[in-house]
Amino acid sequence: MRSGAGWLACGAPQMTDRFLGDLSEQALIALPWLFEFWALPHQLPPEGQDWSTWVVLGGRGAGKTRAGAEWVRAQVEGPTPLAAGDARRVALVGETLDQARDVMVFGDSGLLACAPPDRRPVWQATRRRLVWPNGAVAQIFSALDPEALRGPQFDAAWADELAKWKKAEEAWMQLRFGLRLGARPRAVVTTTPRSKRLLRELLEQPGTVMTGAPTRANRAHLAESFLAEVERRYGGTRIGQQELEGLLLDDLDGALWSMDALEKERLEMPPRLSRIVVGVDPPVTARTGSDECGIVVAGAVTNGPPQDWRAVVLEDASMRGTPTAWAEAAVEAFHRHGADRLVAEVNQGGDLVEQVIRQRDAMIPYRAVRAAKSKVARAEPVAALYEQGRVAHLRGLIRLEDQMSRMTTAGYEGQGSPDRVDALVWALHDLMILPGTNWTAPRMRSL
């Protein structure tokens, strides 16, 4: 029945009518709940018994959550509503408790939405658990609190978005220690792929099997406008390969920045900052299809000697548009963050760059910079700051980080120009690398 839905959808109307007409009333009632009939191939667990972890890698909206929920349902349900299934104690682990509850339990593809009326579990909010009519129990946990997994024991587990967990190694270790009940305790992992060490190691283990699919595999259940927009924004990019194609990407040979290192230094909120700078890398032309204007905002804590300084990348406001449009965006970013200076590369535009910026704000503190070295040579000292753990990123910098991951010692391995990286480099040069004339009497501010 693995291809039943596809056969039903593609068959002639007469065949469909005959198939449905031959079903009993009970079979027609049960048909919507037979997931094996409707599932896409990547949503079905591996056949056979010789595996302990099933990893479902997929692009955004590829149906990973539904696959995880239906697998849990298949484990806990028996042949009748009150009959026991293969599993009776299940761990549901999300990035946070809220996400575990809102996505894995109450989500549109979560456990409650997937349950037939006669087998629908009851949510016990005070105990953070689901209880099925047959007595099976599934409890939610947060990967931010690995210690909560120390002690409980399970015969099945569902780990959602493991590649996003901040304490992934510790949380997964505690979860695996708790999977010790029953004849064959198993786990399913549903996640968008990210280059995280734990995920790569898990995929290499003998007991792991993997299925995967791109976002478009589930297009029947996604809005066409959503598909068109994400393809327009991320198609052909490295982040698109990860988020849309569902591919686990390794860092490029000679990459100046690794995705693991960027994730390790992630911050939720910036500290109190001494200085904030907006870096601008204008495009060569304003014609349709021209490169973007890189606009990146970064701040730094400059207390103590220079080797103790720390920087935070706050925003990527890069955009494509006319000189008037990108100048306005850069000035708005300057005022939005209360910045101290705007730094712009003038190799291509010369004095015109300053002119369009000052048309938006005549009094803005401005410094022109001219590139005398190659992009790689300029980026390497900034990359060294990252290697020293002296630069962190806030969330929401996906497209900037995509360009950073493509910047190698041999040059930029991507399409177009790395305008976002150039803007980042100019901002961090001004904050962290230039001589002490820029660093006297720092003032503190909080965001």
Side-chain angles (χ1 to χ4, degrees), residues 327-337:
E328 182 173 357
V331 170
E332 287 179 354
F334 177 93
H335 291 296
R336 185 162 56 249
H337 291 274

Side-chain angles (χ1 to χ4, degrees), residues 156-226:
W158 173 17
D160 189 47
E161 293 296 355
L162 177 141
K164 290 175 57 183
W165 294 359
K166 295 180 180 64
K167 299 181 179 180
E169 285 81 5
E170 186 178 356
W172 180 253
M173 177 184 67
Q174 295 298 344
L175 177 60
R176 290 303 311 184
F177 280 143
L179 270 174
R180 54 180 183 258
L181 296 179
R184 186 175 290 275
R186 286 173 164 174
V188 61
V189 175
T190 54
T191 186
T192 303
R194 291 189 178 185
S195 185
K196 206 174 189 85
R197 183 179 63 186
L198 172 63
L199 182 56
R200 292 196 300 267
E201 291 177 350
L202 181 59
L203 291 173
E204 293 173 358
Q205 292 178 4
T208 298
V209 292
M210 185 197 81
T211 61
T215 297
R216 61 180 174 273
N218 198 33
R219 67 183 311 136
H221 302 286
L222 302 172
E224 285 297 326
S225 58
F226 164 77

Side-chain angles (χ1 to χ4, degrees), residues 9-250:
C10 298
Q14 298 90 333
M15 294 178 61
T16 302
D17 291 343
R18 188 180 309 119
F19 170 77
L20 296 175
D22 289 342
L23 296 179
S24 66
E25 182 179 355
Q26 291 283 355
L28 279 171
I29 293 173
L31 187 60
W33 309 104
L34 298 178
F35 186 63
E36 279 201 351
F37 184 84
W38 302 105
L40 296 168
H42 72 279
Q43 294 178 303
L44 293 170
E47 295 181 340
Q49 301 294 315
D50 192 23
W51 59 272
S52 59
T53 305
W54 171 32
V55 178
V56 186
L57 293 183
R60 299 286 184 93
K64 303 182 297 296
T65 302
R66 182 67 185 269
E70 292 285 0
W71 181 80
V72 170
R73 183 188 148 207
Q75 299 307 299
V76 300
E77 288 183 4
T80 64
L82 298 181
D86 292 336
R88 294 188 60 81
R89 299 179 69 174
V90 184
L92 308 175
V93 188
E95 185 179 9
T96 66
L97 284 175
D98 286 347
Q99 290 184 9
R101 181 191 65 233
D102 296 344
V103 176
M104 303 171 79
V105 176
F106 287 96
D108 291 340
S109 299
L111 285 162
L112 290 176
C114 296
D118 62 341
R119 302 170 190 226
R120 185 179 174 87
V122 175
W123 171 246
Q124 297 179 347
T126 57
R127 304 187 69 177
R128 299 198 302 267
R129 70 180 195 174
L130 284 169
V131 180
W132 275 263
N134 65 3
V137 175
Q139 186 172 355
I140 66 170
F141 296 89
S142 167
L144 290 175
D145 184 17
E147 288 300 306
L149 288 160
R150 185 188 294 271
Q153 50 187 355
F154 316 99
D155 45 21
W158 173 17
D160 189 47
E161 293 296 355
L162 177 141
K164 290 175 57 183
W165 294 359
K166 295 180 180 64
K167 299 181 179 180
E169 285 81 5
E170 186 178 356
W172 180 253
M173 177 184 67
Q174 295 298 344
L175 177 60
R176 290 303 311 184
F177 280 143
L179 270 174
R180 54 180 183 258
L181 296 179
R184 186 175 290 275
R186 286 173 164 174
V188 61
V189 175
T190 54
T191 186
T192 303
R194 291 189 178 185
S195 185
K196 206 174 189 85
R197 183 179 63 186
L198 172 63
L199 182 56
R200 292 196 300 267
E201 291 177 350
L202 181 59
L203 291 173
E204 293 173 358
Q205 292 178 4
T208 298
V209 292
M210 185 197 81
T211 61
T215 297
R216 61 180 174 273
N218 198 33
R219 67 183 311 136
H221 302 286
L222 302 172
E224 285 297 326
S225 58
F226 164 77
L227 290 169
E229 175 63 15
V230 294
E231 286 290 348
R232 183 187 68 79
R233 288 180 61 86
Y234 301 113
T237 69
R238 187 171 170 84
I239 199 67
Q241 289 180 289
Q242 173 179 285
E243 301 291 326
L244 301 181
E245 300 299 322
L247 301 178
L248 181 62
L249 304 177
D250 293 322

Side-chain angles (χ1 to χ4, degrees), residues 346-366:
V346 298
N347 281 49
Q348 305 298 337
D351 293 340
L352 291 175
V353 175
E354 182 175 1
Q355 289 177 20
V356 295
I357 289 173
R358 293 210 181 277
Q359 286 172 3
R360 311 309 304 172
D361 186 340
M363 302 302 294
I364 196 167
Y366 170 86

Side-chain angles (χ1 to χ4, degrees), residues 310-321:
R310 297 292 184 271
V312 181
V313 183
L314 304 170
E315 183 184 0
D316 175 13
S318 303
M319 53 92 71
R320 181 176 283 109

